[in-house]
């Protein structure tokens, strides 16, 4: 399949053929339907944020499930899903205490899947998955908790936005600024 690979900081993305392994236990194979470009992608390209290179960027996307690994129960082939760059292992201290956005295992594994390996390769070299999403590609492999089923009526381009743009903005408004209904606010951006 084709993917946009960042081989080095300061270089443009290179759209080329790469290999994608099948999903392992607890993983989902998704055909990408839409992907948004986020400032965070540019931060990585410019070296302002770190990522293990080479990497397939793209952490705001939506798509259709093609295949699932062993143990996956929440989605099935044909389901439309939003991809999330904040998946959670469900078992660490933060996950079991309800603060899944702070998942230790996700933080420790970063652009690798939960078993510490990647499903993306090129000529024997491993390529990492930005935020375990890597949606600047025709297909991707994500953890089950990193894909959320949506209604068939939601357009892919709208669903993709929810993966980062909408949730980041809503989270900042609700939890950081603590905006409540009826308040008057200025939106800068
Ligand atoms: Zn983003
Ligand atoms: Zn966790």
């Amino acid at each position: 399949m084709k993917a946009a690979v960042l081989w080095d900081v300061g270089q443009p993305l290179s759209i080329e053929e790469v290999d994608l392994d099948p999903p392992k236990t607890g993983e989902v194979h998704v055909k990408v339907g839409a992907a948004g470009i986020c400032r965070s992608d540019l931060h990585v390209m410019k070296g302002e944020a770190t990522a293990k290179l080479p990497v397939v960027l793209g952490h705001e996307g939506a798509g259709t499930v093609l295949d699932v690994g062993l143990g996956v129960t929440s989605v099935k082939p044909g389901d439309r899903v939003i991809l999330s760059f904040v998946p959670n292992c469900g078992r660490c201290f933060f996950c079991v205490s309800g603060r899944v956005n702070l998942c230790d295992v996700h933080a420790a594994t970063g652009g690798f899947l939960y078993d510490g390996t990647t499903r993306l390769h090129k000529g024997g070299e491993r390529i990492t998955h930005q935020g375990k999403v890597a949606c600047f590609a025709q297909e991707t492999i994500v953890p089950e908790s990193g894909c959320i089923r949506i209604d068939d009526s939601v357009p892919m381009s709208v669903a993709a936005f929810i993966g980062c743009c909408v949730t980041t903005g809503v989270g900042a408004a609700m939890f950081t600024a603590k905006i409540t209904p009826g308040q008057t606010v200025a939106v800068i951006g």
Side-chain angles (χ1 to χ4, degrees), residues 109-129:
T109 49
F112 296 84
L113 291 170
Y114 284 133
D115 69 351
T117 65
T118 74
R119 305 293 160 267
L120 287 161
H121 307 275
K122 172 99 180 185
E125 184 166 10
R126 63 105 179 99
I127 300 173
T128 64
H129 308 229

Side-chain angles (χ1 to χ4, degrees), residues 59-148:
H59 59 278
E60 176 178 283
T64 305
V65 175
L66 292 173
D67 192 14
V68 299
L70 283 174
V72 172
T73 57
S74 64
V75 293
K76 61 182 186 312
D79 284 351
R80 292 156 63 92
V81 293
I82 295 174
L83 305 177
S84 170
F85 66 92
V86 197
N88 59 89
C89 77
R91 293 186 296 275
C92 71
F93 169 79
F94 287 113
C95 284
V96 298
S97 55
R99 304 181 72 191
V100 296
N101 58 311
L102 300 177
C103 175
D104 272 339
V105 181
H106 181 42
T109 49
F112 296 84
L113 291 170
Y114 284 133
D115 69 351
T117 65
T118 74
R119 305 293 160 267
L120 287 161
H121 307 275
K122 172 99 180 185
E125 184 166 10
R126 63 105 179 99
I127 300 173
T128 64
H129 308 229
Q130 189 197 27
K132 295 185 177 60
V133 175
C135 62
F136 288 172
Q138 292 177 312
E139 299 171 17
T140 187
I141 303 288
V142 299
E144 181 178 10
S145 63
C147 64
I148 297 92

